[in-house]
Amino acid sequence: MINSSDFLSNAQIIKYPIITDKATRLLENNQYSFIVDRSSNKITIKAAIEYLFNVKVLKVNTCRLPRKKKRVGKYIGWKPQYKKAIVTLSEGDVINLFTEN
């Protein structure tokens, strides 16, 4: 079980949600996509999501995406590599990604 002193580490594991066309289509299946720390594993991701959003996680799928080239003018570099986690929640649990004004 995670106590309240681990909040900072949980906030560092989950960086930010992914809001793309594919990620919004996954919301219909109660699946949410997040960019997570590259060194985190499925168990720590599950614990962080359950603690931060107060939901029940059924499954966590992760993938490390390949490096991509980035070109600005004549300079060629690399985009930073990241890890993506797709989290499946139990029926009835919802994470509100879009705030209403």
Side-chain angles (χ1 to χ4, degrees):
M1 190 69 188
I2 298 173
N3 56 17
S4 62
S5 65
D6 292 336
F7 177 75
L8 187 59
S9 63
N10 288 329
Q12 290 173 349
I13 291 172
I14 308 299
K15 295 189 178 186
Y16 53 89
I18 301 173
I19 302 172
T20 59
D21 291 339
K22 183 177 179 180
T24 52
R25 275 187 269 128
L26 288 175
L27 293 177
E28 297 173 359
N29 299 331
N30 214 15
Q31 294 180 330
Y32 296 85
S33 301
F34 294 95
I35 298 293
V36 295
D37 186 40
R38 286 189 1 193
S39 63
S40 61
N41 58 14
K42 293 182 180 187
I43 297 167
T44 58
I45 293 169
K46 178 180 177 179
I49 293 290
E50 286 180 346
Y51 179 75
L52 290 174
F53 299 107
N54 197 17
V55 293
K56 175 71 175 142
V57 175
L58 296 179
K59 186 167 59 168
V60 177
N61 295 335
T62 60
C63 64
R64 290 181 67 171
L65 288 111
R67 290 176 56 182
K68 294 182 181 179
K69 281 190 178 180
K70 174 84 173 171
R71 181 179 175 150
V72 178
K74 66 177 183 175
Y75 302 103
I76 298 175
W78 294 95
K79 291 175 80 174
Q81 198 173 14
Y82 61 94
K83 187 174 194 175
K84 178 170 76 169
I86 299 175
V87 178
T88 304
L89 301 182
S90 66
E91 201 65 36
D93 286 337
V94 175
I95 296 174
N96 189 8
L97 297 177
F98 307 103
T99 59
E100 298 176 13
N101 292 334

